[in-house]
Amino acid sequence: MKVHMVRHGECLTTIAAEFGLSPEEIWSLPDNQSLTNERRHSGCLAPGDQLVIPDTASQGKDIAINDLTVLVIADNQYQLQLTLVDNTFNPLKNLEVRCTWPDCKRYISGITDARGTVRLTLPNQCDKGILAWEYQQRQWIRGFDVGTLLPEELAAGMDQRLANLTGSLGHYNDQFITAWADETGQSPDQLEQQLTGQA
């Protein structure tokens, strides 16, 4: 066993990938119980938190000839989960949500469920991107930035959540599209075609 001190910008998924483990293998370890009791959600770790890392990744295993052997390989993806609601907090169901990021060739998409929740699988290196969906006959576009969300028990974590409340989902504007297109090396027309599935 080894102890890993969480650095700024790290999350359980990236730490697990670094050690060739699944997030569950680390989070469910009895030696991490005091931290799991303190942090309500594994996605919210603070710099300085200490995680005990099991040694299972480095241990060898004898393999018998003609036996079926299953090897679990560390995943290089993570799941972005978001919930869309209208201004009265009713879930936006059955909406196609498209997602793209700077190195994405086209886009990926998912459909919101009965709770308005969609889950998108993104590569670990994707730390920002753009989401698009149609609602009430309008195209809605929203940028996202995957960063460090500190635990809500910390004052800084509560500040982050309060700051996020001030950002409302808005109808896209030309300045946003132009800025994003510049950042990804595309023209605004190419980006809009990509997000609407016409590329």
Side-chain angles (χ1 to χ4, degrees), residues 55-124:
D55 294 326
T56 53
S58 60
Q59 293 176 347
K61 179 181 177 184
D62 292 335
I63 299 174
I65 296 174
N66 296 327
D67 273 0
L68 175 64
T69 303
V70 177
L71 299 175
V72 178
I73 299 173
D75 201 352
N76 61 353
Q77 300 175 324
Y78 70 94
Q79 199 168 70
L80 176 67
Q81 175 178 307
L82 60 131
T83 301
L84 300 180
V85 296
D86 64 16
N87 57 0
T88 58
F89 297 99
N90 291 316
L92 301 182
K93 310 172 198 174
N94 301 316
L95 289 184
E96 181 186 18
V97 178
R98 292 187 176 98
C99 176
T100 187
W101 56 93
D103 294 331
C104 182
K105 301 277 190 257
R106 195 162 182 261
Y107 66 85
I108 62 168
S109 66
I111 306 291
T112 57
D113 62 17
R115 295 185 306 267
T117 300
V118 64
R119 292 168 185 83
L120 302 167
T121 302
L122 303 173
N124 278 343

Side-chain angles (χ1 to χ4, degrees), residues 39-192:
R39 304 288 180 236
R40 294 182 218 176
H41 190 274
S42 65
C44 294
L45 297 175
D49 282 348
Q50 294 187 350
L51 279 171
V52 178
I53 308 295
D55 294 326
T56 53
S58 60
Q59 293 176 347
K61 179 181 177 184
D62 292 335
I63 299 174
I65 296 174
N66 296 327
D67 273 0
L68 175 64
T69 303
V70 177
L71 299 175
V72 178
I73 299 173
D75 201 352
N76 61 353
Q77 300 175 324
Y78 70 94
Q79 199 168 70
L80 176 67
Q81 175 178 307
L82 60 131
T83 301
L84 300 180
V85 296
D86 64 16
N87 57 0
T88 58
F89 297 99
N90 291 316
L92 301 182
K93 310 172 198 174
N94 301 316
L95 289 184
E96 181 186 18
V97 178
R98 292 187 176 98
C99 176
T100 187
W101 56 93
D103 294 331
C104 182
K105 301 277 190 257
R106 195 162 182 261
Y107 66 85
I108 62 168
S109 66
I111 306 291
T112 57
D113 62 17
R115 295 185 306 267
T117 300
V118 64
R119 292 168 185 83
L120 302 167
T121 302
L122 303 173
N124 278 343
Q125 68 271 19
C126 174
D127 60 354
K128 61 184 168 184
I130 191 168
L131 301 163
W133 63 92
E134 282 184 44
Y135 177 63
Q136 295 183 337
Q137 299 178 337
R138 293 188 347 193
Q139 181 77 24
W140 295 76
I141 295 177
R142 174 81 176 191
F144 70 89
D145 194 352
V146 180
T148 303
L149 184 63
L150 297 172
E152 61 188 45
E153 301 87 38
L154 302 177
M158 192 53 70
D159 287 345
Q160 284 179 321
R161 285 160 178 79
L162 290 172
N164 287 342
L165 288 175
T166 62
S168 60
L169 294 177
H171 183 257
Y172 82 90
N173 60 55
D174 291 337
Q175 290 176 334
F176 182 83
I177 289 290
T178 302
W180 184 262
D182 286 347
E183 186 166 338
T184 58
Q186 301 178 70
S187 73
D189 288 341
Q190 287 174 315
L191 180 59
E192 288 197 67

